[in-house]
Amino acid sequence: MPKGEMHRDRRSRNLALAGVLAALAVLFFLVTIVKMAGQG
Amino acid sequence: MSDVCGIETPSRPLHKAEAGPADYFALLKPRVMSLVVFTGLVGMVMAPGSMHPVLALTALLCIAIGAGASGAINMWYDADIDAEMARTRGRPIPQGRIAPGEALGFGATLAVASVAIMGLLINLAAAALLALTIAFYVFVYTIWLKRRTPQNIVIGGAAGAFPPMIGWAAASGEVSLVSIALFLIIFMWTPPHFWALSLYRADDYARVGVPMLPVVAGERETRRQILIYSVLLLPVTLVPLWLGAAGFAYGLVAALLGLLFIAGALRVWRAGATHRPARQLFGFSILYLFLIFATLLAEAGLGLAGMA
């Protein structure tokens, strides 16, 4: 497997993981707001 | 880690040494996940009490991730037979894109995370049911029953039937007769659904030694069992009506769809060597379950339930 291709695959995997972590951070923030507002 | 990447080893067919995000997503069995999320949503909407949309979304996400996690663990355990069967040969582990141990780690991590988040942010009843679902799919179905008995999917089907109960528990914090009725609908639907598939995939299952009903008891007995379960399924789908959790429209739709299901099973029963009716019944069974739950969802959403 060419090195460029390997790096590209790894990069897309890292970006996907960053996206998932960012989405989780947003979700936990929103849940905290909802819970603090006493709606949950 | 970078120095071992890209080295071809004869023991592991490396088509592609680095897996992309799509490979990990495939480990979660997204098509199964979509039906699981949908039936979970229906349980959530039908349950008494209201849920903040953000919390409802969180609960659905936990159900989806938990179901996906059990799919990934299943692919780790079944990698040997998946590689031999046409239907599953293209999965990431048999293709060599993801190592078996990596899939297990991925699945186990997501399983624990989904249950923990459900327990911390939603409630313990929903978390307990989610944990039970994952454990049932992994230990009871995949590891214990699948390769041992033709009743594998009858009992193992319970794992796929839990999601509406999880959704219901997420919204109300409890288990109720109605949520058990929703469980029973999927539980009774699973055997004819899977046996229709196994009729035209029997060669695959026989080759890898999975004792599916047509392999062990023959096609005739499988057709008979499909018909029996289809007939039993109809009254089971009417239980929510009887419990006052569904309305007239649902009763009508469930009865009509149930009769169509039985008609399809009769065609399978009468079919000779051809597998076309079995293929058609398999396709219809997916549409059937979707429509049954979509009708329950529509009624609950419009407030028509209990107006029979």
Side-chain angles (χ1 to χ4, degrees):
Chain A
M1 168 179 242
K3 211 159 188 181
E5 201 179 319
M6 185 186 87
H7 281 146
R8 204 192 54 214
D9 283 342
R10 192 174 300 171
R11 184 177 162 76
S12 69
R13 209 169 64 184
N14 289 343
L15 284 175
L17 192 56
V20 168
L21 289 174
L24 271 182
V26 171
L27 180 71
F28 290 153
F29 174 73
L30 289 176
V31 170
T32 308
I33 298 295
V34 169
K35 293 254 178 196
M36 287 206 307
Q39 293 177 54
Chain B
M1 194 191 142
S2 61
D3 54 340
V4 294
C5 289
I7 295 172
E8 300 258 344
T9 52
S11 60
R12 196 179 139 208
L14 276 186
H15 297 284
K16 191 165 171 258
E18 289 275 334
D23 293 314
Y24 288 90
F25 189 62
L27 278 183
L28 304 177
K29 298 195 177 180
R31 273 190 301 179
V32 175
M33 202 198 254
S34 59
L35 209 53
V36 162
V37 167
F38 181 62
T39 57
L41 170 72
V42 176
M44 199 179 279
V45 173
M46 285 181 76
S50 66
M51 240 183 143
H52 191 283
V54 170
L55 294 179
L57 186 74
T58 308
L60 283 179
L61 193 68
C62 288
I63 295 175
I65 301 298
S70 31
I73 300 172
N74 168 275
M75 286 199 206
W76 157 73
Y77 191 82
D78 278 346
D80 58 334
I81 54 178
D82 280 355
E84 303 289 324
M85 296 204 295
R87 188 170 70 94
T88 51
R89 201 171 287 150
R91 288 178 173 173
I93 304 177
Q95 286 291 310
R97 290 197 298 269
I98 292 180
E102 209 177 328
L104 173 63
F106 181 67
T109 307
L110 291 184
V112 171
S114 63
V115 172
I117 294 173
M118 186 77 105
L120 289 169
L121 301 185
I122 309 298
N123 62 52
L124 289 179
L129 281 170
L130 183 60
L132 178 68
T133 305
I134 297 170
F136 203 90
Y137 189 72
V138 171
F139 297 108
V140 178
Y141 172 67
T142 302
I143 297 180
W144 183 32
L145 297 174
K146 184 174 177 180
R147 301 185 193 211
R148 279 188 180 80
T149 160
Q151 295 300 312
N152 49 13
I153 51 160
V154 177
I155 304 163
F162 278 120
M165 287 184 75
I166 307 173
W168 184 287
S172 67
E174 60 186 29
V175 169
S176 79
L177 277 179
V178 179
S179 78
I180 295 172
L182 298 179
F183 168 92
L184 283 177
I185 291 173
I186 306 178
F187 186 72
M188 290 305 290
W189 165 88
T190 306
H193 161 76
F194 245 106
W195 283 333
L197 171 84
S198 71
L199 268 178
Y200 61 88
R201 295 281 190 195
D203 295 345
D204 260 359
Y205 287 115
R207 194 169 59 236
V208 296
V210 173
M212 279 304 216
L213 200 59
V215 178
V216 177
E219 284 205 7
R220 203 183 139 73
E221 177 62 16
T222 308
R223 295 170 202 274
R224 199 173 73 94
Q225 293 289 334
I226 288 175
L227 189 57
I228 292 172
Y229 274 88
S230 305
V231 170
L232 292 175
L233 179 61
L234 179 52
V236 170
T237 57
L238 297 178
V239 174
L241 192 71
W242 180 61
L243 290 172
F248 178 70
Y250 171 76
L252 205 65
V253 169
L256 203 69
L257 286 171
L259 289 174
L260 282 173
F261 203 116
I262 294 172
L266 272 171
R267 288 182 58 229
V268 172
W269 167 247
R270 291 208 199 101
T274 171
H275 284 153
R276 198 149 168 257
R279 280 178 193 272
Q280 286 169 340
L281 182 64
F282 178 73
F284 172 73
S285 68
I286 298 169
L287 181 68
Y288 169 91
L289 195 70
F290 173 75
L291 289 176
I292 287 276
F293 276 83
T295 312
L296 286 169
L297 181 68
E299 275 196 351
L302 296 171
L304 297 175
M307 289 174 65

mmCIF file of all heavy atoms in Angstrom, chain B residues 88-139:
data_model
loop_
_atom_site.group_PDB
_atom_site.id
_atom_site.type_symbol
_atom_site.label_atom_id
_atom_site.label_comp_id
_atom_site.label_asym_id
_atom_site.label_seq_id
_atom_site.Cartn_x
_atom_site.Cartn_y
_atom_site.Cartn_z
ATOM 1 N N THR B 88 -22.084 -12.345 3.835
ATOM 2 C CA THR B 88 -21.295 -11.637 4.842
ATOM 3 C C THR B 88 -19.823 -11.502 4.474
ATOM 4 O O THR B 88 -19.050 -10.940 5.237
ATOM 5 C CB THR B 88 -21.397 -12.396 6.193
ATOM 6 O OG1 THR B 88 -21.077 -13.767 5.955
ATOM 7 C CG2 THR B 88 -22.785 -12.292 6.768
ATOM 8 N N ARG B 89 -19.461 -12.021 3.300
ATOM 9 C CA ARG B 89 -18.048 -12.054 2.903
ATOM 10 C C ARG B 89 -17.434 -10.657 2.801
ATOM 11 O O ARG B 89 -16.248 -10.472 3.029
ATOM 12 C CB ARG B 89 -17.931 -12.785 1.559
ATOM 13 C CG ARG B 89 -16.569 -13.335 1.268
ATOM 14 C CD ARG B 89 -16.622 -14.220 0.038
ATOM 15 N NE ARG B 89 -17.279 -15.493 0.302
ATOM 16 C CZ ARG B 89 -17.970 -16.192 -0.599
ATOM 17 N NH1 ARG B 89 -18.126 -15.719 -1.821
ATOM 18 N NH2 ARG B 89 -18.516 -17.334 -0.284
ATOM 19 N N GLY B 90 -18.254 -9.677 2.460
ATOM 20 C CA GLY B 90 -17.746 -8.328 2.256
ATOM 21 C C GLY B 90 -17.560 -7.514 3.522
ATOM 22 O O GLY B 90 -17.203 -6.345 3.458
ATOM 23 N N ARG B 91 -17.836 -8.108 4.694
ATOM 24 C CA ARG B 91 -17.714 -7.371 5.955
ATOM 25 C C ARG B 91 -16.247 -7.023 6.232
ATOM 26 O O ARG B 91 -15.334 -7.700 5.735
ATOM 27 C CB ARG B 91 -18.309 -8.191 7.106
ATOM 28 C CG ARG B 91 -19.836 -8.246 7.045
ATOM 29 C CD ARG B 91 -20.424 -9.104 8.146
ATOM 30 N NE ARG B 91 -21.885 -8.997 8.147
ATOM 31 C CZ ARG B 91 -22.689 -9.725 8.911
ATOM 32 N NH1 ARG B 91 -22.195 -10.608 9.743
ATOM 33 N NH2 ARG B 91 -23.994 -9.554 8.854
ATOM 34 N N PRO B 92 -16.011 -5.960 7.032
ATOM 35 C CA PRO B 92 -14.633 -5.448 7.210
ATOM 36 C C PRO B 92 -13.617 -6.469 7.745
ATOM 37 O O PRO B 92 -12.458 -6.440 7.324
ATOM 38 C CB PRO B 92 -14.807 -4.305 8.213
ATOM 39 C CG PRO B 92 -16.240 -3.903 8.123
ATOM 40 C CD PRO B 92 -17.000 -5.128 7.741
ATOM 41 N N ILE B 93 -14.017 -7.384 8.627
ATOM 42 C CA ILE B 93 -13.029 -8.330 9.169
ATOM 43 C C ILE B 93 -12.639 -9.386 8.131
ATOM 44 O O ILE B 93 -11.446 -9.576 7.872
ATOM 45 C CB ILE B 93 -13.508 -8.977 10.487
ATOM 46 C CG1 ILE B 93 -13.837 -7.882 11.506
ATOM 47 C CG2 ILE B 93 -12.424 -9.915 11.058
ATOM 48 C CD1 ILE B 93 -14.391 -8.403 12.816
ATOM 49 N N PRO B 94 -13.628 -10.079 7.477
ATOM 50 C CA PRO B 94 -13.224 -11.034 6.432
ATOM 51 C C PRO B 94 -12.435 -10.366 5.295
ATOM 52 O O PRO B 94 -11.586 -11.007 4.681
ATOM 53 C CB PRO B 94 -14.559 -11.581 5.900
ATOM 54 C CG PRO B 94 -15.560 -11.293 6.942
ATOM 55 C CD PRO B 94 -15.075 -10.107 7.709
ATOM 56 N N GLN B 95 -12.697 -9.098 5.037
ATOM 57 C CA GLN B 95 -11.975 -8.377 3.986
ATOM 58 C C GLN B 95 -10.568 -7.982 4.425
ATOM 59 O O GLN B 95 -9.790 -7.472 3.632
ATOM 60 C CB GLN B 95 -12.756 -7.122 3.588
ATOM 61 C CG GLN B 95 -13.994 -7.393 2.755
ATOM 62 C CD GLN B 95 -13.673 -7.902 1.368
ATOM 63 O OE1 GLN B 95 -12.853 -7.319 0.668
ATOM 64 N NE2 GLN B 95 -14.280 -9.009 0.981
ATOM 65 N N GLY B 96 -10.268 -8.140 5.723
ATOM 66 C CA GLY B 96 -8.938 -7.829 6.222
ATOM 67 C C GLY B 96 -8.697 -6.350 6.479
ATOM 68 O O GLY B 96 -7.565 -5.928 6.676
ATOM 69 N N ARG B 97 -9.748 -5.567 6.466
ATOM 70 C CA ARG B 97 -9.557 -4.134 6.678
ATOM 71 C C ARG B 97 -9.509 -3.773 8.165
ATOM 72 O O ARG B 97 -8.917 -2.766 8.541
ATOM 73 C CB ARG B 97 -10.657 -3.338 5.963
ATOM 74 C CG ARG B 97 -10.520 -3.373 4.444
ATOM 75 C CD ARG B 97 -11.336 -2.280 3.816
ATOM 76 N NE ARG B 97 -12.752 -2.441 4.105
ATOM 77 C CZ ARG B 97 -13.589 -3.111 3.332
ATOM 78 N NH1 ARG B 97 -13.167 -3.678 2.237
ATOM 79 N NH2 ARG B 97 -14.854 -3.209 3.654
ATOM 80 N N ILE B 98 -10.162 -4.609 8.993
ATOM 81 C CA ILE B 98 -10.120 -4.376 10.439
ATOM 82 C C ILE B 98 -9.738 -5.703 11.109
ATOM 83 O O ILE B 98 -10.299 -6.751 10.775
ATOM 84 C CB ILE B 98 -11.484 -3.871 10.965
ATOM 85 C CG1 ILE B 98 -11.761 -2.451 10.432
ATOM 86 C CG2 ILE B 98 -11.516 -3.868 12.498
ATOM 87 C CD1 ILE B 98 -13.073 -1.851 10.878
ATOM 88 N N ALA B 99 -8.774 -5.637 12.030
ATOM 89 C CA ALA B 99 -8.350 -6.859 12.726
ATOM 90 C C ALA B 99 -9.437 -7.277 13.709
ATOM 91 O O ALA B 99 -10.122 -6.423 14.275
ATOM 92 C CB ALA B 99 -7.046 -6.594 13.468
ATOM 93 N N PRO B 100 -9.609 -8.625 13.912
ATOM 94 C CA PRO B 100 -10.674 -9.089 14.799
ATOM 95 C C PRO B 100 -10.623 -8.447 16.200
ATOM 96 O O PRO B 100 -11.643 -7.994 16.707
ATOM 97 C CB PRO B 100 -10.424 -10.602 14.887
ATOM 98 C CG PRO B 100 -9.697 -10.937 13.634
ATOM 99 C CD PRO B 100 -8.882 -9.732 13.275
ATOM 100 N N GLY B 101 -9.429 -8.404 16.784
ATOM 101 C CA GLY B 101 -9.303 -7.844 18.131
ATOM 102 C C GLY B 101 -9.702 -6.376 18.194
ATOM 103 O O GLY B 101 -10.264 -5.912 19.183
ATOM 104 N N GLU B 102 -9.421 -5.681 17.084
ATOM 105 C CA GLU B 102 -9.777 -4.259 17.031
ATOM 106 C C GLU B 102 -11.299 -4.090 17.031
ATOM 107 O O GLU B 102 -11.841 -3.189 17.682
ATOM 108 C CB GLU B 102 -9.189 -3.677 15.745
ATOM 109 C CG GLU B 102 -8.855 -2.213 15.823
ATOM 110 C CD GLU B 102 -8.201 -1.731 14.538
ATOM 111 O OE1 GLU B 102 -7.477 -2.541 13.899
ATOM 112 O OE2 GLU B 102 -8.434 -0.593 14.188
ATOM 113 N N ALA B 103 -11.980 -4.980 16.298
ATOM 114 C CA ALA B 103 -13.449 -4.933 16.257
ATOM 115 C C ALA B 103 -14.024 -5.225 17.639
ATOM 116 O O ALA B 103 -14.992 -4.587 18.075
ATOM 117 C CB ALA B 103 -13.972 -5.942 15.234
ATOM 118 N N LEU B 104 -13.412 -6.190 18.333
ATOM 119 C CA LEU B 104 -13.889 -6.523 19.686
ATOM 120 C C LEU B 104 -13.714 -5.326 20.626
ATOM 121 O O LEU B 104 -14.631 -4.967 21.375
ATOM 122 C CB LEU B 104 -13.123 -7.734 20.230
ATOM 123 C CG LEU B 104 -13.404 -8.098 21.694
ATOM 124 C CD1 LEU B 104 -14.867 -8.488 21.888
ATOM 125 C CD2 LEU B 104 -12.504 -9.248 22.155
ATOM 126 N N GLY B 105 -12.539 -4.696 20.562
ATOM 127 C CA GLY B 105 -12.289 -3.530 21.408
ATOM 128 C C GLY B 105 -13.238 -2.383 21.109
ATOM 129 O O GLY B 105 -13.784 -1.754 22.012
ATOM 130 N N PHE B 106 -13.454 -2.171 19.819
ATOM 131 C CA PHE B 106 -14.376 -1.124 19.364
ATOM 132 C C PHE B 106 -15.791 -1.392 19.901
ATOM 133 O O PHE B 106 -16.427 -0.520 20.508
ATOM 134 C CB PHE B 106 -14.362 -1.138 17.831
ATOM 135 C CG PHE B 106 -15.222 -0.111 17.153
ATOM 136 C CD1 PHE B 106 -14.923 1.240 17.256
ATOM 137 C CD2 PHE B 106 -16.309 -0.507 16.381
ATOM 138 C CE1 PHE B 106 -15.706 2.183 16.605
ATOM 139 C CE2 PHE B 106 -17.092 0.433 15.717
ATOM 140 C CZ PHE B 106 -16.792 1.780 15.837
ATOM 141 N N GLY B 107 -16.250 -2.643 19.716
ATOM 142 C CA GLY B 107 -17.592 -3.015 20.163
ATOM 143 C C GLY B 107 -17.745 -2.942 21.676
ATOM 144 O O GLY B 107 -18.731 -2.400 22.181
ATOM 145 N N ALA B 108 -16.765 -3.472 22.395
ATOM 146 C CA ALA B 108 -16.859 -3.495 23.863
ATOM 147 C C ALA B 108 -16.857 -2.073 24.428
ATOM 148 O O ALA B 108 -17.629 -1.753 25.343
ATOM 149 C CB ALA B 108 -15.698 -4.303 24.442
ATOM 150 N N THR B 109 -16.012 -1.211 23.860
ATOM 151 C CA THR B 109 -15.953 0.182 24.313
ATOM 152 C C THR B 109 -17.295 0.880 24.109
ATOM 153 O O THR B 109 -17.824 1.531 25.014
ATOM 154 C CB THR B 109 -14.854 0.953 23.545
ATOM 155 O OG1 THR B 109 -13.629 0.237 23.664
ATOM 156 C CG2 THR B 109 -14.686 2.365 24.086
ATOM 157 N N LEU B 110 -17.847 0.714 22.898
ATOM 158 C CA LEU B 110 -19.127 1.367 22.600
ATOM 159 C C LEU B 110 -20.250 0.796 23.458
ATOM 160 O O LEU B 110 -21.158 1.523 23.876
ATOM 161 C CB LEU B 110 -19.469 1.219 21.116
ATOM 162 C CG LEU B 110 -18.592 1.986 20.138
ATOM 163 C CD1 LEU B 110 -19.111 1.814 18.716
ATOM 164 C CD2 LEU B 110 -18.550 3.476 20.487
ATOM 165 N N ALA B 111 -20.197 -0.523 23.727
ATOM 166 C CA ALA B 111 -21.244 -1.145 24.548
ATOM 167 C C ALA B 111 -21.248 -0.537 25.950
ATOM 168 O O ALA B 111 -22.293 -0.117 26.461
ATOM 169 C CB ALA B 111 -21.021 -2.661 24.617
ATOM 170 N N VAL B 112 -20.073 -0.465 26.551
ATOM 171 C CA VAL B 112 -19.966 0.085 27.912
ATOM 172 C C VAL B 112 -20.358 1.571 27.907
ATOM 173 O O VAL B 112 -21.121 2.030 28.764
ATOM 174 C CB VAL B 112 -18.532 -0.098 28.456
ATOM 175 C CG1 VAL B 112 -18.354 0.655 29.774
ATOM 176 C CG2 VAL B 112 -18.226 -1.585 28.646
ATOM 177 N N ALA B 113 -19.873 2.313 26.904
ATOM 178 C CA ALA B 113 -20.172 3.746 26.838
ATOM 179 C C ALA B 113 -21.672 3.997 26.681
ATOM 180 O O ALA B 113 -22.237 4.861 27.364
ATOM 181 C CB ALA B 113 -19.404 4.381 25.678
ATOM 182 N N SER B 114 -22.326 3.223 25.807
ATOM 183 C CA SER B 114 -23.750 3.472 25.569
ATOM 184 C C SER B 114 -24.576 3.196 26.822
ATOM 185 O O SER B 114 -25.490 3.953 27.153
ATOM 186 C CB SER B 114 -24.265 2.646 24.382
ATOM 187 O OG SER B 114 -24.157 1.271 24.647
ATOM 188 N N VAL B 115 -24.237 2.111 27.535
ATOM 189 C CA VAL B 115 -24.979 1.782 28.762
ATOM 190 C C VAL B 115 -24.702 2.837 29.846
ATOM 191 O O VAL B 115 -25.617 3.292 30.546
ATOM 192 C CB VAL B 115 -24.615 0.363 29.265
ATOM 193 C CG1 VAL B 115 -25.235 0.102 30.637
ATOM 194 C CG2 VAL B 115 -25.079 -0.698 28.272
ATOM 195 N N ALA B 116 -23.434 3.248 29.970
ATOM 196 C CA ALA B 116 -23.075 4.236 30.995
ATOM 197 C C ALA B 116 -23.777 5.571 30.743
ATOM 198 O O ALA B 116 -24.353 6.172 31.665
ATOM 199 C CB ALA B 116 -21.555 4.435 31.013
ATOM 200 N N ILE B 117 -23.773 6.016 29.485
ATOM 201 C CA ILE B 117 -24.414 7.304 29.168
ATOM 202 C C ILE B 117 -25.930 7.213 29.390
ATOM 203 O O ILE B 117 -26.542 8.110 29.950
ATOM 204 C CB ILE B 117 -24.096 7.733 27.709
ATOM 205 C CG1 ILE B 117 -22.597 8.030 27.584
ATOM 206 C CG2 ILE B 117 -24.913 8.944 27.304
ATOM 207 C CD1 ILE B 117 -22.126 8.289 26.161
ATOM 208 N N MET B 118 -26.514 6.086 28.990
ATOM 209 C CA MET B 118 -27.959 5.898 29.213
ATOM 210 C C MET B 118 -28.268 5.965 30.705
ATOM 211 O O MET B 118 -29.238 6.598 31.128
ATOM 212 C CB MET B 118 -28.408 4.549 28.627
ATOM 213 C CG MET B 118 -29.902 4.309 28.676
ATOM 214 S SD MET B 118 -30.795 5.224 27.410
ATOM 215 C CE MET B 118 -31.177 3.932 26.244
ATOM 216 N N GLY B 119 -27.452 5.296 31.519
ATOM 217 C CA GLY B 119 -27.681 5.278 32.967
ATOM 218 C C GLY B 119 -27.477 6.642 33.607
ATOM 219 O O GLY B 119 -28.246 7.047 34.489
ATOM 220 N N LEU B 120 -26.460 7.380 33.164
ATOM 221 C CA LEU B 120 -26.144 8.672 33.797
ATOM 222 C C LEU B 120 -27.091 9.782 33.333
ATOM 223 O O LEU B 120 -27.478 10.634 34.125
ATOM 224 C CB LEU B 120 -24.692 9.065 33.470
ATOM 225 C CG LEU B 120 -23.618 8.219 34.157
ATOM 226 C CD1 LEU B 120 -22.250 8.511 33.551
ATOM 227 C CD2 LEU B 120 -23.609 8.487 35.656
ATOM 228 N N LEU B 121 -27.444 9.787 32.055
ATOM 229 C CA LEU B 121 -28.225 10.912 31.527
ATOM 230 C C LEU B 121 -29.720 10.627 31.405
ATOM 231 O O LEU B 121 -30.524 11.553 31.411
ATOM 232 C CB LEU B 121 -27.682 11.336 30.152
ATOM 233 C CG LEU B 121 -26.216 11.787 30.098
ATOM 234 C CD1 LEU B 121 -25.864 12.286 28.705
ATOM 235 C CD2 LEU B 121 -25.951 12.874 31.136
ATOM 236 N N ILE B 122 -30.099 9.380 31.255
ATOM 237 C CA ILE B 122 -31.535 9.077 31.064
ATOM 238 C C ILE B 122 -32.076 8.430 32.341
ATOM 239 O O ILE B 122 -32.509 9.125 33.235
ATOM 240 C CB ILE B 122 -31.775 8.184 29.817
ATOM 241 C CG1 ILE B 122 -31.076 8.794 28.587
ATOM 242 C CG2 ILE B 122 -33.262 7.986 29.556
ATOM 243 C CD1 ILE B 122 -31.573 10.179 28.180
ATOM 244 N N ASN B 123 -32.048 7.131 32.461
ATOM 245 C CA ASN B 123 -32.422 6.494 33.740
ATOM 246 C C ASN B 123 -31.873 5.064 33.802
ATOM 247 O O ASN B 123 -31.425 4.515 32.796
ATOM 248 C CB ASN B 123 -33.946 6.531 33.978
ATOM 249 C CG ASN B 123 -34.723 5.769 32.917
ATOM 250 O OD1 ASN B 123 -34.432 4.613 32.631
ATOM 251 N ND2 ASN B 123 -35.703 6.427 32.315
ATOM 252 N N LEU B 124 -31.931 4.495 34.993
ATOM 253 C CA LEU B 124 -31.319 3.176 35.202
ATOM 254 C C LEU B 124 -32.120 2.050 34.553
ATOM 255 O O LEU B 124 -31.548 1.050 34.113
ATOM 256 C CB LEU B 124 -31.143 2.907 36.701
ATOM 257 C CG LEU B 124 -30.048 3.753 37.375
ATOM 258 C CD1 LEU B 124 -29.968 3.417 38.859
ATOM 259 C CD2 LEU B 124 -28.691 3.529 36.709
ATOM 260 N N ALA B 125 -33.454 2.203 34.479
ATOM 261 C CA ALA B 125 -34.273 1.145 33.869
ATOM 262 C C ALA B 125 -33.884 0.978 32.398
ATOM 263 O O ALA B 125 -33.677 -0.156 31.925
ATOM 264 C CB ALA B 125 -35.752 1.493 33.994
ATOM 265 N N ALA B 126 -33.771 2.103 31.683
ATOM 266 C CA ALA B 126 -33.402 2.036 30.266
ATOM 267 C C ALA B 126 -31.985 1.481 30.107
ATOM 268 O O ALA B 126 -31.717 0.679 29.200
ATOM 269 C CB ALA B 126 -33.507 3.421 29.622
ATOM 270 N N ALA B 127 -31.071 1.898 31.005
ATOM 271 C CA ALA B 127 -29.685 1.409 30.928
ATOM 272 C C ALA B 127 -29.626 -0.098 31.169
ATOM 273 O O ALA B 127 -28.907 -0.821 30.480
ATOM 274 C CB ALA B 127 -28.819 2.151 31.938
ATOM 275 N N ALA B 128 -30.411 -0.575 32.153
ATOM 276 C CA ALA B 128 -30.421 -2.012 32.470
ATOM 277 C C ALA B 128 -30.946 -2.817 31.291
ATOM 278 O O ALA B 128 -30.391 -3.869 30.933
ATOM 279 C CB ALA B 128 -31.273 -2.260 33.715
ATOM 280 N N LEU B 129 -32.025 -2.308 30.665
ATOM 281 C CA LEU B 129 -32.586 -3.020 29.509
ATOM 282 C C LEU B 129 -31.619 -3.018 28.330
ATOM 283 O O LEU B 129 -31.512 -4.007 27.599
ATOM 284 C CB LEU B 129 -33.921 -2.390 29.089
ATOM 285 C CG LEU B 129 -35.132 -2.786 29.935
ATOM 286 C CD1 LEU B 129 -36.334 -1.921 29.585
ATOM 287 C CD2 LEU B 129 -35.477 -4.262 29.733
ATOM 288 N N LEU B 130 -30.900 -1.903 28.146
ATOM 289 C CA LEU B 130 -29.911 -1.833 27.060
ATOM 290 C C LEU B 130 -28.775 -2.824 27.302
ATOM 291 O O LEU B 130 -28.358 -3.548 26.390
ATOM 292 C CB LEU B 130 -29.362 -0.402 26.928
ATOM 293 C CG LEU B 130 -28.371 -0.164 25.788
ATOM 294 C CD1 LEU B 130 -29.000 -0.460 24.427
ATOM 295 C CD2 LEU B 130 -27.852 1.275 25.798
ATOM 296 N N ALA B 131 -28.320 -2.886 28.551
ATOM 297 C CA ALA B 131 -27.254 -3.840 28.896
ATOM 298 C C ALA B 131 -27.726 -5.272 28.675
ATOM 299 O O ALA B 131 -26.988 -6.113 28.135
ATOM 300 C CB ALA B 131 -26.835 -3.632 30.352
ATOM 301 N N LEU B 132 -28.990 -5.538 29.061
ATOM 302 C CA LEU B 132 -29.553 -6.874 28.880
ATOM 303 C C LEU B 132 -29.613 -7.229 27.389
ATOM 304 O O LEU B 132 -29.274 -8.346 26.989
ATOM 305 C CB LEU B 132 -30.964 -6.915 29.503
ATOM 306 C CG LEU B 132 -31.735 -8.221 29.360
ATOM 307 C CD1 LEU B 132 -31.076 -9.320 30.201
ATOM 308 C CD2 LEU B 132 -33.192 -8.060 29.806
ATOM 309 N N THR B 133 -30.021 -6.266 26.572
ATOM 310 C CA THR B 133 -30.116 -6.490 25.120
ATOM 311 C C THR B 133 -28.757 -6.863 24.527
ATOM 312 O O THR B 133 -28.641 -7.833 23.772
ATOM 313 C CB THR B 133 -30.640 -5.211 24.423
ATOM 314 O OG1 THR B 133 -31.868 -4.833 25.028
ATOM 315 C CG2 THR B 133 -30.843 -5.442 22.943
ATOM 316 N N ILE B 134 -27.734 -6.065 24.888
ATOM 317 C CA ILE B 134 -26.393 -6.318 24.352
ATOM 318 C C ILE B 134 -25.893 -7.685 24.821
ATOM 319 O O ILE B 134 -25.397 -8.491 24.035
ATOM 320 C CB ILE B 134 -25.413 -5.205 24.785
ATOM 321 C CG1 ILE B 134 -25.867 -3.858 24.211
ATOM 322 C CG2 ILE B 134 -23.986 -5.527 24.331
ATOM 323 C CD1 ILE B 134 -25.120 -2.650 24.773
ATOM 324 N N ALA B 135 -26.064 -7.962 26.116
ATOM 325 C CA ALA B 135 -25.595 -9.237 26.678
ATOM 326 C C ALA B 135 -26.320 -10.411 26.033
ATOM 327 O O ALA B 135 -25.720 -11.444 25.713
ATOM 328 C CB ALA B 135 -25.805 -9.245 28.191
ATOM 329 N N PHE B 136 -27.637 -10.238 25.809
ATOM 330 C CA PHE B 136 -28.424 -11.311 25.212
ATOM 331 C C PHE B 136 -27.946 -11.599 23.783
ATOM 332 O O PHE B 136 -27.759 -12.758 23.405
ATOM 333 C CB PHE B 136 -29.906 -10.908 25.189
ATOM 334 C CG PHE B 136 -30.842 -12.075 25.126
ATOM 335 C CD1 PHE B 136 -31.303 -12.656 26.293
ATOM 336 C CD2 PHE B 136 -31.245 -12.608 23.910
ATOM 337 C CE1 PHE B 136 -32.154 -13.753 26.250
ATOM 338 C CE2 PHE B 136 -32.101 -13.701 23.856
ATOM 339 C CZ PHE B 136 -32.553 -14.272 25.035
ATOM 340 N N TYR B 137 -27.713 -10.543 23.009
ATOM 341 C CA TYR B 137 -27.283 -10.720 21.619
ATOM 342 C C TYR B 137 -25.904 -11.360 21.553
ATOM 343 O O TYR B 137 -25.664 -12.267 20.749
ATOM 344 C CB TYR B 137 -27.276 -9.366 20.899
ATOM 345 C CG TYR B 137 -27.056 -9.482 19.410
ATOM 346 C CD1 TYR B 137 -28.051 -9.988 18.579
ATOM 347 C CD2 TYR B 137 -25.860 -9.103 18.830
ATOM 348 C CE1 TYR B 137 -27.862 -10.104 17.215
ATOM 349 C CE2 TYR B 137 -25.657 -9.215 17.457
ATOM 350 C CZ TYR B 137 -26.657 -9.715 16.656
ATOM 351 O OH TYR B 137 -26.464 -9.835 15.305
ATOM 352 N N VAL B 138 -24.993 -10.889 22.408
ATOM 353 C CA VAL B 138 -23.617 -11.374 22.347
ATOM 354 C C VAL B 138 -23.489 -12.769 22.964
ATOM 355 O O VAL B 138 -22.992 -13.700 22.320
ATOM 356 C CB VAL B 138 -22.657 -10.386 23.046
ATOM 357 C CG1 VAL B 138 -21.272 -10.994 23.186
ATOM 358 C CG2 VAL B 138 -22.595 -9.080 22.267
ATOM 359 N N PHE B 139 -23.944 -12.906 24.202
ATOM 360 C CA PHE B 139 -23.691 -14.174 24.911
ATOM 361 C C PHE B 139 -24.719 -15.251 24.591
ATOM 362 O O PHE B 139 -24.354 -16.386 24.314
ATOM 363 C CB PHE B 139 -23.636 -13.929 26.426
ATOM 364 C CG PHE B 139 -22.501 -13.028 26.812
ATOM 365 C CD1 PHE B 139 -22.730 -11.730 27.233
ATOM 366 C CD2 PHE B 139 -21.183 -13.472 26.724
ATOM 367 C CE1 PHE B 139 -21.678 -10.884 27.563
ATOM 368 C CE2 PHE B 139 -20.120 -12.640 27.054
ATOM 369 C CZ PHE B 139 -20.375 -11.337 27.473
#
